Amino acid sequence: MKLNYKRTALIGFAFFGILLLWQVYDSWCPTFLTDIFARRMYHMSSAELKVSDPDKILNVQWLVGIIMACDNLAALILLPIFGNLSDKTRTPIGKRMPYILTGTMVAAIAFPFIPLFFHKNNIAGMVIMMAIVLMFMMMYRNPAVALMPDITPKPLRAKANGIINIMGYFGGAFATVLGIFMKLSDYINVSDEARKLWIIEVPFIIASILMVISAFVLFFTIKENKLAEALKEEMELGESMAAIETPVDDDKPMSSANKRMLLAILGAEFLWFMADNAVGTYIGNYVIYYMKSSSSNTMLLVIIGGVASVIGFATAGSIADRIGRKWTITTGLAITVAAYILMIFAKPTGVVVGKNGEFSFPVLLFAVGAIRGFGMALVHNCSFPMVVELCSSKKIGKFTGYYYAASMSAQTVTPILLGLVLRRTLAWGTLPVYALIMVVLSCTVFTALVKNIKAKKVANVKGLEAIDGD
């Protein structure tokens, strides 16, 4: 049994497209919504409000949260559906590929229309385009993620998931670089007459093009049906080496021990995504409206966090081999707790450096981004393999749906909840405190309820043989 690094990296092109789109979406859309709601409610742009009455910016965040949460609510419903459907699909190109290709194409076409409608100050068109993109990305996302465990034996999935996530972060990093050179704050902080369309349109167009390319790379290099047949014996061996309390048997109900493990993992996952998505959703507005800094600093923050995440993903599999997946995740959560404690002490510098009166960015937040990125990489790397460890190869899409149901439930609740908290407190400093509370709760649930069961050792082929073709 061996992990084929070349094949795993090629499967990672699916995740490359996912994180590329998600990074552009999360970095730009909440600020689009903030500006457009400010215009509707106060007849002023968010840039004008930032100067004249910054509390009103906080007052619209609950509306931003509702729109962001509605998209996630649709995902909560659709992800398990598409996961279950893809488990039962049989086509000449495989069971996952039809969903990946269809979802990618429609989402890629609709994506550039989001900034176009924003530029035209058309909130209905913008929200409809956001909904279409999210709906078809859900068609794509579950089958794309399920593809790795489809053709990777259970003991190898933590290391394989690290490679998949590293590929995804390359996609996210590319989107972030676009944001540095095409600064959202240069668009938001100027008068309506000075707003140039292509500052906000180009990143979305480039993301769409790269998504399509990544989907075709996946399609032409990964032959699902052929690989499933070739790896049949390895997959069966992997089943016998799984890190679970009781063996999986499709002919019997899920055992009580495995069910407890699944519910505990999903419960803890819900809580850590409550924190993670809260920061992901509001960090752009936090930088622009609280730190009063350039949006390019958000992108630098994401790059630093991404580099730290890549290091985390590269090492998480080896760490899990030594101490087990449970303690790897617990370590990651503890590191993330430390990051949010530091974030509480970050304040606006008050030092003007930008042409639009922007402040310099506090260096402490770059440290926060790096620590948080490394910690959450350990968490994400091991959590998904722990969930699909509890099912057979016939139900990977279904259990991937469970994993995303927990994360999307959190991402549905947390933007609204934090938006209401911000409206109540009128203090951006609430953001790190909220995230800290959720991560502490998650760490408590996970440590107390999840058992540490190490996977049996496998002898990995190394060197050139490990990157051979199939």
Side-chain angles (χ1 to χ4, degrees), residues 3 5 8 155-164 313 317-318 321 381 460:
L3 178 61
Y5 290 89
T8 306
L156 302 175
R157 287 176 185 170
K159 286 186 176 179
N161 201 39
I163 296 170
I164 296 293
F313 286 126
S318 298
D321 284 345
N381 191 83
N460 275 303

Side-chain angles (χ1 to χ4, degrees), residues 164-185:
I164 296 293
N165 277 281
I166 288 170
M167 288 295 295
Y169 271 77
F170 285 148
F174 192 92
T176 303
V177 170
L178 289 176
I180 291 175
F181 291 103
M182 298 174 181
K183 295 191 289 183
L184 180 56
S185 54

Side-chain angles (χ1 to χ4, degrees), residues 3 5 460-468:
L3 178 61
Y5 290 89
N460 275 303
V461 175
K462 297 181 179 179
L464 294 176
E465 192 177 349
I467 59 172
D468 267 350

Side-chain angles (χ1 to χ4, degrees), residues 183-190 288 293-296 356 358:
K183 295 191 289 183
L184 180 56
S185 54
D186 282 352
Y187 182 91
I188 293 294
N189 289 330
V190 298
I288 292 173
S293 293
S294 167
S295 62
S296 62
N356 296 311
E358 295 157 343

Side-chain angles (χ1 to χ4, degrees), residues 15 61 93 99 118 150 160 162 170 175 192 197 207 218 256 259 262 273 282 286 304 321 379 408 412:
F15 214 51
Q61 295 308 306
I93 61 172
Y99 299 93
F118 170 67
D150 274 344
F170 285 148
D192 289 355
L197 174 63
L218 186 70
S256 297
K259 192 177 290 183
L262 177 64
F273 268 103
Y282 286 106
Y286 180 83
I304 289 169
D321 284 345
V379 174
M408 287 298 171
T412 301

Side-chain angles (χ1 to χ4, degrees), residues 82-137:
F82 287 123
N84 224 355
L85 281 174
S86 66
D87 279 341
K88 299 170 184 176
T89 298
R90 297 293 180 270
T91 74
I93 61 172
K95 59 184 179 181
R96 314 293 183 193
M97 206 62 72
Y99 299 93
I100 293 171
L101 294 178
T102 304
T104 300
M105 296 308 160
V106 178
I109 291 169
F111 199 44
F113 284 93
I114 295 174
L116 182 62
F117 279 115
F118 170 67
H119 183 77
K120 299 296 183 182
N121 203 26
N122 185 333
I123 189 169
M126 179 182 147
V127 171
I128 288 169
M129 286 300 114
M130 288 170 67
I132 290 172
V133 168
L134 265 290
M135 185 163 58
F136 281 90
M137 280 303 290

Side-chain angles (χ1 to χ4, degrees), residues 357-368:
E358 295 157 343
F359 292 174
S360 64
F361 197 67
V363 176
L364 181 61
L365 276 180
F366 290 131
V368 169

